[in-house]
Amino acid sequence: MRIEKSELTKLTSTFALVALAACGSSGESANAPAASASTLTKVSSSTAQPVASVSNPPAKAPAAGSFEDDLAFLNAHGSTIVLESPSGGRVAVSPKYQGRVMTSAVAPGEKSLGFVFRKFIEDGKTGTQFDNYGGEDRFWLGPEGGQFGLYFKPGKPFAFSEWQTPEGFQVGEWTVKEKAADHVVFTRSMKVQNYAGTTFELDVERTVHLLDAGDVAKHLGVSPAAGVQWVAFETINKITNTGKNAWTKKDGLPSVWILAMYNPSPDTFVSIPFETKGTGDIVNDRYFGKVPSDRLKVLDKDGYLLFKADGTHRSKIGVGPTRAKEFLGSYSPSSRLLTIVNYTKQGGAHDFVNSMWEKQKDPFGGDVVNSYNDGPTEPGKASLGGFYEIESSSPGAALAAGASLTHTHRTFHFVGDAAALDPIAQKTLGITTGTLAAGIK
C-alpha cells in the first residue's frame, strides 16, 4: 500500500496531537512520559520511514578509560560536579567523597587522568582503615605517624594493622557552600585526636578552582605549545582552629596534607627537583623500607631525583623544606602525559610535621613534598589499590584560637609529543622529557 506524502504528514500530525493529549491526562506520571520536543520534531519531519522507526537511537557507551566512562560510574554511585574549561579541559569533583577531585581530562572523550578505585566504591564500605575512593586531589591532615601522629591511637604500635585514617576527614559528604562555572567551595567541621592525646577542633573550607591559560602561564612561567592539550586546577585549603586553646608544638600540630592519586604504568617516573646547596639529607627514602636503587635515582649534582611509579612496590620518599622547590611532577612517554604539581611554598617555614611510623627524634623535621608508590602492604598481602601519589604539605599549623592557615595545591596535565612537552618539563622540573623517558638505568 502506498501512502502519499500529504497523507503521511496528516497521520504523523494526528499521532503527535494524540501524544500531547495523553501527556495532559491524569495518568501521565504512571503510564505515559511526555514526548520530548526533539522526538516530536523527528516524527513530524519524517517522510521516508515508518513513524515507529524514528525514535532517538541508544546513546553510545563512553569509551573504556575515558573521562566520560569514569564520570558515568561515579554518577551511578553519587552526584558529581563537573567544571568545564572553554579550552576543553574538565574536572570531576565529588561532594560525597569529601570534596575530592576524582579525575580530570584534557578534552571531551579523552583519557581519565585520576585514579578512581572502582572496586572500593562498588563495595559501598565506609569507616575502613582507609576509605580509598581514589581521587587526584584529596584533603587529609598530617602527621601520619610519630608521637603526634593522627593515624594511630595512643599507645598502639606503629604497625599497618593499627593504622587508621581519622573519621573526621574520610567519612561523610561535605557541604557545598558555593558553586559556579569555574569553581566549587566545600565546608566541613571536624575533630581529630593525635597520638599524644591532644584534640584538635577545626573548620575546613576547600575551594576547587579551574585554571585558565593565563593562570598556567603565571604559575609555570611557560605556556603550552600549539597542539598540546591540557587541563589545570587548584585546591585552596583553609583550616581554622575552632577550639578554645591555641595549637602548640608542645602538644603537636596538624598540617594540611594534599594527596594526588594517579594511574601507574611501567614507564612512569616521578621527578622531584631539589636545592643542591640545601642542608640535610636530600631525600628521605626510609618510610616503608629503604627504596631499592632500581626504583630511586638521586642526581645530587644535577639537582633532581627520579622515582619509579609503577604501582607494584610499596615505597615512599620525601624532600624537606631546605631542599624542596615549588614544583614536582611525573611523565609517561607511552601516555604522552606530563603532570606538573605546584604548591604554596611558605618561605622561611621550617616546622613541617614528621610522618614517619616511629617515635621520632624530631617531630617537626618532616617533609614538604612526598611521592608514594603503591604495592603489597606486607608479604603475601594485597596493595591498597594500585596507584601512585604526588603529595604536598603545609607547615605545622601553630594557630591561636580562631586563626587560620591556607595551603594551595595546583595540578597541571599536559598531553602531547615529547618535543612539545619538553619546554614545560625543563622550565618546571629542570629536566628534559628525554631524560624522564629514559628513567633509571
Side-chain angles (χ1 to χ4, degrees):
M1 178 179 69
R2 180 179 179 181
I3 300 177
E4 295 295 328
K5 180 177 179 180
S6 60
E7 294 175 346
L8 182 58
T9 301
K10 291 179 180 179
L11 284 171
T12 54
S13 297
T14 300
F15 290 154
L17 289 171
V18 170
L20 288 171
C23 292
S25 69
S26 59
E28 174 188 347
S29 60
N31 300 312
S36 69
S38 60
T39 301
L40 290 175
T41 300
K42 289 181 180 179
V43 170
S44 63
S45 64
S46 175
T47 59
Q49 297 292 333
V51 173
S53 69
V54 296
S55 59
N56 291 324
K60 184 179 179 181
S66 68
F67 176 86
E68 288 75 11
D69 185 37
D70 270 347
L71 182 61
F73 173 82
L74 291 168
N75 282 335
H77 295 273
S79 63
T80 307
I81 298 170
V82 178
L83 307 178
E84 297 186 6
S85 168
S87 65
R90 51 215 49 228
V91 175
V93 189
S94 173
K96 180 178 181 180
Y97 302 136
Q98 299 80 53
R100 301 181 195 213
V101 176
M102 295 301 296
T103 189
S104 63
V106 296
E110 293 296 331
K111 185 177 179 180
S112 181
L113 300 176
F115 173 76
V116 177
F117 195 13
R118 294 194 175 202
K119 184 181 184 304
F120 188 87
I121 292 173
E122 287 172 337
D123 288 346
K125 297 178 181 179
T126 189
T128 67
Q129 278 186 288
F130 169 29
D131 285 0
N132 186 8
Y133 306 109
E136 60 173 306
D137 186 308
R138 77 177 185 273
F139 175 93
W140 268 12
L141 294 172
E144 191 171 12
Q147 50 266 52
F148 296 133
L150 299 172
Y151 297 71
F152 295 89
K153 292 183 179 179
K156 295 293 184 180
F158 298 115
F160 182 79
S161 59
E162 299 294 339
W163 178 69
Q164 175 63 58
T165 308
E167 181 177 313
F169 50 82
Q170 87 155 348
V171 175
E173 183 166 337
W174 285 28
T175 300
V176 177
K177 176 183 177 182
E178 180 182 322
K179 184 169 63 173
D182 66 345
H183 72 274
V184 57
V185 181
F186 297 98
T187 58
R188 180 75 165 184
S189 297
M190 61 184 67
K191 183 185 296 186
V192 294
Q193 185 184 60
N194 70 11
Y195 195 83
T198 305
T199 297
F200 302 98
E201 298 177 56
L202 64 148
D203 282 349
V204 180
E205 182 176 278
R206 172 172 161 85
T207 301
V208 181
H209 177 224
L210 198 62
L211 300 178
D212 60 24
D215 295 321
V216 173
K218 171 186 174 183
H219 294 299
L220 302 189
V222 61
S223 296
V228 172
Q229 295 178 296
W230 59 273
V231 62
F233 61 89
E234 65 183 1
T235 62
I236 305 166
N237 305 273
K238 183 173 77 170
I239 60 172
T240 301
N241 178 359
T242 58
K244 296 180 180 179
N245 301 317
W247 298 344
T248 66
K249 291 175 65 176
K250 176 176 65 70
D251 299 315
L253 299 175
S255 68
V256 175
W257 186 12
I258 304 300
L259 304 96
M261 305 174 78
Y262 304 118
N263 298 298
S265 70
D267 68 352
T268 297
F269 282 89
V270 169
S271 178
I272 304 179
F274 56 82
E275 296 287 353
T276 57
K277 296 181 180 180
T279 58
D281 293 338
I282 292 173
V283 59
N284 176 7
D285 66 346
R286 300 176 292 103
Y287 279 93
F288 303 120
K290 189 170 179 61
V291 182
S293 60
D294 62 343
R295 292 185 163 274
L296 175 64
K297 182 178 182 180
V298 180
L299 291 95
D300 51 357
K301 294 182 179 179
D302 296 316
Y304 67 86
L305 62 81
L306 296 174
F307 179 56
K308 193 170 182 64
D310 61 355
T312 65
H313 180 92
R314 189 169 191 245
S315 48
K316 181 176 178 178
I317 60 173
V319 177
T322 67
R323 296 282 190 176
K325 295 188 175 183
E326 60 181 333
F327 296 108
L328 63 164
S330 64
Y331 180 60
S332 167
S334 62
S335 297
R336 303 169 66 242
L337 172 64
L338 174 67
T339 295
I340 302 296
V341 167
N342 166 245
Y343 63 98
T344 303
K345 189 173 188 299
Q346 300 187 19
H350 294 284
D351 291 333
F352 286 82
V353 299
N354 190 338
S355 282
M356 293 289 289
W357 290 19
E358 62 188 19
K359 287 289 182 71
Q360 304 156 352
K361 293 181 179 179
D362 185 0
F364 299 98
D367 300 320
V368 183
V369 295
N370 297 89
S371 182
Y372 170 81
N373 185 56
D374 197 30
T377 57
E378 296 174 5
K381 297 291 183 68
S383 70
L384 295 177
F387 54 89
Y388 77 95
E389 290 180 325
I390 293 177
E391 311 165 2
S392 73
S393 294
S394 75
L399 298 178
S404 301
L405 174 147
T406 299
H407 180 72
T408 301
H409 182 105
R410 301 182 184 93
T411 302
F412 307 81
H413 294 298
F414 302 97
V415 174
D417 295 334
L421 299 179
D422 195 62
I424 303 172
Q426 292 200 51
K427 180 67 175 179
T428 58
L429 304 177
I431 185 173
T432 67
T433 50
T435 303
L436 282 165
I440 298 173
K441 294 182 178 179

